Amino acid sequence: MSFLDRFRREPAPVTGALPPGPLRPAADPRRGRHASNAPAPPAPTARPRISADAWLRPGAGVNLAGYNIVGGLLYVGTQLAAPAGHVADPALINPALPVDLRRPDWGGQGLDYWPSYSDIPPQSRAAYLAWLADGRRFPQAPIGYVFLYFYGLERRVLYDLQRDRSSAAFELPIIHQEVHRLLSIYGGHTAFKRYAGQFEQVLDMFTAEPSAKAPAPTRDYPPPLRLRAGLGTFAAQGAAVPADWALSWIRSHPEYYPRTPATRCAAEFDALFVRRYTARYGKGLLVRPGRKEVTLDYRPASAGFRGVAELTLSGIPDVLGYAAPTRKLVALADECTADLEAYSRYLGREPDGQRSVQAQALLPSELVNLSGGGAGQAIAWARHRLGAQELAVVPVGEFSAFISSPQSAKPAKKDVVALAQVLSQAGVGIEPDPRLGGAVLTSGSMVLFAAPEGPTAAASDAYQAATLLLHLAAAVSAADGDFDGTEQRHLSDHLERALHLTADERRRLHAHLRWLTVTPVKLTGLTRRIAGIDAGQRQYVAEFLTALAGADGRISPDEIKTLTKIYRLLELDPALLPTTTKPAPATEPVIVRPARPERGYAIPQQAEQSLAPLVRLDEAAIAAKLAETARVGALLGSIFTEDEVPPAAAPLPAAEPVAGLDGQHSGLVRELASTEQIPRAEFEQLAAHWKLLPDGALDRINEAAYELAGEPLLDGDDPIWVDRNLLGEMLT
């Protein structure tokens, strides 16, 4: 469709403008004009009276050369000088200049790079006026006509309304909407998109309310004018900077370079930053205004400005570059980035795994979704299983179903830890718990328990001692096939009192004991834990277990057999154990252990019943032994401490500094000089050689690369790719 064919349609008013005025064309320009050589319409009988420099307000209409142009937003007159000099403004439509309606320049051949209505040929004026009358909307119109109209909008906003703001509140929103409309039609033209896009930022700043939503972050330079003006307005008014504005501040700051977690997990970073900013600063930071005001060196499209037009927002300080608040925001951003590193690395390996239990477990607690994805399903299952109980025994298979994958029927330890971490966020604990040294189960049963205090901290020495005693004691108590309630209560209550456990540790210890009662207890795997106990401590443990075995009033042969194994683990003489046979009426004193002058048990003088207990224990002696186990708990702390002194580290080879890095990181970078990609395992070996943690080394090296060139040097997870061009730049 040609421009002429388009013009034959009924002209439409500018979108968003006020209704057209009462003017009508003096002659119908469409009648009889079917081709470029068609006769021209009759000239208008009279010219409208136009002042020397009239601005047609939004919605106004005018008749020019027989064209009825409605919508306003035009300069029409004869003497309007350009802002930079005495020449006519390029946007001024001078009705006195000739218009060649016989040969309109539909292709724009008569336009130069910076067109001016006063200088373009009459044929181009005819086509331009036709485009204006058609509603300024024909997509295939030469872009020079669009720029000619755009020049007038620029002048109105940047020049006239800055000197007389009486009409600004009314006109600026309409002009803003008109520029947005033009971009939607002609934004495919690169030059127009650049100029109109920058101009739209100016309008966005002028028309935005101070309480409006923060502008989207950008890495453009300079930062968006609306962001700078908005932050300055908060400072000028003594108002706190809201969280969304603080986020846009730091993300748009030209001297802040986000690391990989902030870009790979952008949504999570933004949410975490906003939450922690609100938690730390309440309504927001208060920024003290300085003297420097917000200015913008805007380069107008119109040649009437002759270069750069400097805009100054009077009374609005430019606070975006202030050092003190920027340091606080950078520190918070770095904290959020560090807490998202594990999650980011997981997504690097599993790009679609955001909703998995493993991913949710790696998120900071503020971001864990307790009601959605795999984590939500696991939590719903655990809460259903617990119900109103404090403890619940569940099959391991049900637990593993939330983390097992088709590639591996048996869940890995890291996956069990992940699910335990997610459940702990919802106030549910598991036993055994690999985070505290428990086994990773593949079958059998496990225990869920209510843990309202949240995630479990690292196990204390007292708790570790309690679990060791519990394991040994459970083996003894279950040896006769009857780990009855009396023994269980005696065992757990005593450990709680003797070892001074916290409320959370007591709940977990009860859950651990419940698991031991439904699980075959073995004595394997305890040698290393017992190895750190000295001879005196082992004697205390042995006596405690012997007293426990007799807590139900009898010591069975099976219990004696288990105690014998434990004595051997403790490297004690099993002969010290009491000997026994099948229960029978006692006719004479029962030997509990060989007599020793310094210690023993009271022996009854005569049988008082026809059927006496197999072993009658001295309650006073048992109480004394139980009291001593408090000392056992304290002494068992030595089991969990490392006494070995690590060997002295070999000195690292010297490495010439690279891009501001220290010697270790520089050495690692130099070893990548001949590498385009490196397997993860090999990179970890290199990092170990230079005494560095692999992930920390990746981040530090990429930070240096960002500071140098704005790009990461190392990318990917396995293999890790090396940017050869950037590496060469870093090494020179």
Side-chain angles (χ1 to χ4, degrees):
M1 180 185 294
S2 69
F3 189 90
L4 177 61
D5 293 333
R6 176 65 176 172
F7 178 68
R8 290 196 187 103
R9 299 179 57 187
E10 186 70 26
V14 178
T15 302
L18 297 180
L23 294 177
R24 294 291 183 268
D28 187 351
R30 297 168 294 172
R31 187 175 303 162
R33 179 140 52 90
H34 300 288
S36 59
N37 58 356
T45 57
R47 296 179 184 273
R49 292 186 177 182
I50 302 296
S51 63
D53 53 357
W55 162 255
L56 296 186
R57 291 167 59 85
V62 66
N63 186 280
L64 296 170
Y67 293 124
N68 189 35
I69 301 173
V70 296
L73 304 180
L74 298 169
Y75 285 100
V76 181
T78 59
Q79 300 178 8
L80 182 66
H86 298 290
V87 299
D89 192 277
L92 177 66
I93 300 175
N94 187 346
L97 297 177
V99 177
D100 187 355
L101 298 176
R102 293 177 179 272
R103 296 174 298 168
D105 180 14
W106 305 120
Q109 287 86 356
L111 304 178
D112 58 16
Y113 192 79
W114 281 287
S116 171
Y117 187 88
S118 300
D119 298 333
I120 62 177
Q123 297 89 341
S124 299
R125 295 189 190 114
Y128 176 54
L129 295 176
W131 176 75
L132 293 175
D134 187 46
R136 310 159 222 204
R137 59 181 178 174
F138 183 57
Q140 280 75 44
I143 200 66
Y145 296 135
V146 183
F147 267 113
L148 198 56
Y149 170 56
F150 179 72
Y151 294 163
L153 303 180
E154 272 191 331
R155 178 196 171 97
R156 186 64 179 170
V157 172
L158 301 179
Y159 190 76
D160 294 340
L161 291 182
Q162 298 306 310
R163 286 153 180 77
D164 180 8
R165 301 192 61 84
S166 59
S167 301
F170 167 67
E171 292 187 11
L172 284 174
I174 296 175
I175 296 176
H176 192 183
Q177 187 177 4
E178 175 68 351
V179 172
H180 183 73
R181 185 188 70 87
L182 291 174
L183 275 169
S184 69
I185 301 173
Y186 304 105
H189 192 282
T190 303
F192 183 77
K193 181 179 180 180
R194 183 175 70 253
Y195 281 109
Q198 293 175 352
F199 187 57
E200 192 176 34
Q201 287 190 21
V202 175
L203 289 165
D204 191 42
M205 181 270 296
F206 281 139
T207 58
E209 295 292 332
S211 59
K213 184 179 179 181
T218 176
R219 298 304 298 171
D220 295 341
Y221 186 83
L225 183 60
R226 186 189 162 207
L227 173 64
R228 296 162 58 200
L231 294 174
T233 301
F234 290 124
Q237 296 176 351
V241 178
D244 60 332
W245 283 84
L247 175 63
S248 189
W249 180 344
I250 191 59
R251 274 201 173 274
S252 303
H253 200 286
E255 296 180 6
Y256 173 72
Y257 300 96
R259 289 155 51 195
T260 301
T263 54
R264 179 184 288 159
C265 320
E268 290 83 357
F269 174 87
D270 292 352
L272 185 61
F273 183 93
V274 167
R275 292 191 183 188
R276 292 190 176 177
Y277 178 87
T278 303
R280 189 164 302 177
Y281 299 111
K283 293 183 179 180
L285 282 171
L286 290 173
V287 182
R288 181 177 299 177
R291 295 182 178 180
K292 182 182 178 183
E293 296 177 327
V294 174
T295 59
L296 173 67
D297 291 338
Y298 174 80
R299 186 173 296 277
S302 172
F305 287 89
R306 288 189 181 175
V308 177
E310 183 178 281
L311 298 177
T312 300
L313 300 185
S314 179
I316 305 299
D318 194 356
V319 304
L320 185 136
Y322 285 8
T326 299
R327 279 197 300 269
K328 294 178 181 179
L329 296 179
V330 168
L332 180 57
D334 287 345
E335 174 188 311
C336 295
T337 299
D339 289 348
L340 285 170
E341 282 182 353
Y343 178 75
S344 173
R345 288 194 296 271
Y346 179 83
L347 292 188
R349 299 188 299 269
E350 303 288 341
D352 299 324
Q354 294 93 333
R355 294 174 59 84
S356 67
V357 170
Q358 291 87 336
Q360 290 286 301
L362 298 174
L363 282 172
S365 59
E366 300 98 315
L367 301 182
V368 177
N369 184 357
L370 300 182
S371 59
Q377 296 173 4
I379 290 169
W381 164 80
R383 287 173 173 169
H384 173 73
R385 275 298 201 167
L386 269 177
Q389 307 174 85
E390 291 293 321
L391 300 170
V393 179
V394 299
V396 170
E398 291 185 13
F399 176 87
S400 302
F402 295 101
I403 50 178
S404 297
S405 63
Q407 293 79 15
S408 175
K410 184 172 72 171
K413 178 180 178 180
K414 62 181 179 62
D415 297 326
V416 177
V417 168
L419 183 50
Q421 186 67 25
V422 167
L423 292 178
S424 67
Q425 298 286 344
V428 178
I430 69 168
E431 273 298 324
D433 192 331
R435 296 173 298 173
L436 303 181
V440 177
L441 303 180
T442 58
S443 61
S445 299
M446 62 186 303
V447 175
L448 303 177
F449 66 96
E453 295 182 6
T456 299
S460 65
D461 288 347
Y463 179 78
Q464 291 181 339
T467 56
L468 176 59
L469 286 173
L470 200 63
H471 194 111
L472 295 172
V476 172
S477 298
D480 59 358
D482 182 21
F483 194 4
D484 63 24
T486 302
E487 291 176 321
Q488 292 181 36
R489 286 192 299 273
H490 171 82
L491 179 59
S492 60
D493 292 345
H494 173 69
L495 288 175
E496 287 181 16
R497 292 193 308 270
L499 298 178
H500 307 290
L501 303 180
T502 65
D504 178 64
E505 289 174 332
R506 289 197 296 271
R507 280 191 293 269
R508 182 170 289 278
L509 196 66
H510 281 292
H512 191 77
L513 176 59
R514 182 73 181 97
W515 173 68
L516 289 172
T517 63
V518 297
T519 303
V521 182
K522 300 178 181 179
L523 295 177
T524 56
L526 298 178
T527 304
R528 181 178 178 277
R529 298 176 66 182
I530 293 174
I533 308 177
D534 62 29
Q537 295 166 0
R538 296 181 188 195
Q539 182 66 39
Y540 289 132
V541 172
E543 292 178 358
F544 168 75
L545 296 175
T546 302
L548 179 69
D552 58 354
R554 54 189 292 272
I555 300 179
S556 70
D558 288 333
E559 289 174 326
I560 292 293
K561 185 184 297 183
T562 300
L563 284 171
T564 299
K565 294 179 181 178
I566 293 175
Y567 267 56
R568 286 173 179 157
L569 279 175
L570 296 173
E571 298 181 354
L572 296 177
D573 186 0
L576 299 177
L577 282 168
T579 58
T580 183
T581 59
K582 200 171 182 179
T587 58
E588 60 183 22
V590 177
I591 298 176
V592 176
R593 68 174 65 183
R596 292 186 300 174
E598 72 279 6
R599 185 174 297 179
Y601 294 91
I603 300 176
Q605 297 298 319
Q606 60 183 8
E608 298 180 358
Q609 300 176 359
S610 59
L611 184 62
L614 183 63
V615 178
R616 185 177 298 277
L617 301 176
D618 187 338
E619 296 297 332
I622 292 175
K625 296 302 178 185
L626 294 179
E628 290 178 353
T629 56
R631 295 165 55 194
V632 175
L635 292 171
L636 283 177
S638 61
I639 301 173
F640 308 102
T641 57
E642 298 291 340
D643 296 329
E644 297 182 5
V645 178
L652 291 171
E656 186 178 351
V658 172
L661 293 168
D662 58 27
Q664 293 169 269
H665 291 88
S666 297
L668 178 55
V669 170
R670 290 189 176 278
E671 295 210 36
L672 302 174
S674 60
T675 303
E676 184 171 351
Q677 65 175 3
I678 180 172
R680 175 80 184 191
E682 186 176 337
F683 181 82
E684 290 178 351
Q685 291 177 359
L686 282 178
H689 171 72
W690 290 97
K691 304 297 189 293
L692 296 170
L693 295 175
D695 293 319
L698 276 170
D699 285 340
R700 181 66 191 94
I701 292 171
N702 280 337
E703 282 179 8
Y706 268 115
E707 292 175 2
L708 181 66
E711 296 289 340
L713 175 67
L714 306 174
D715 195 17
D717 189 72
D718 193 4
I720 298 172
W721 291 87
V722 182
D723 188 327
R724 301 288 304 155
N725 294 330
L726 179 54
L727 179 59
E729 185 176 347
M730 293 178 69
L731 293 177
T732 55

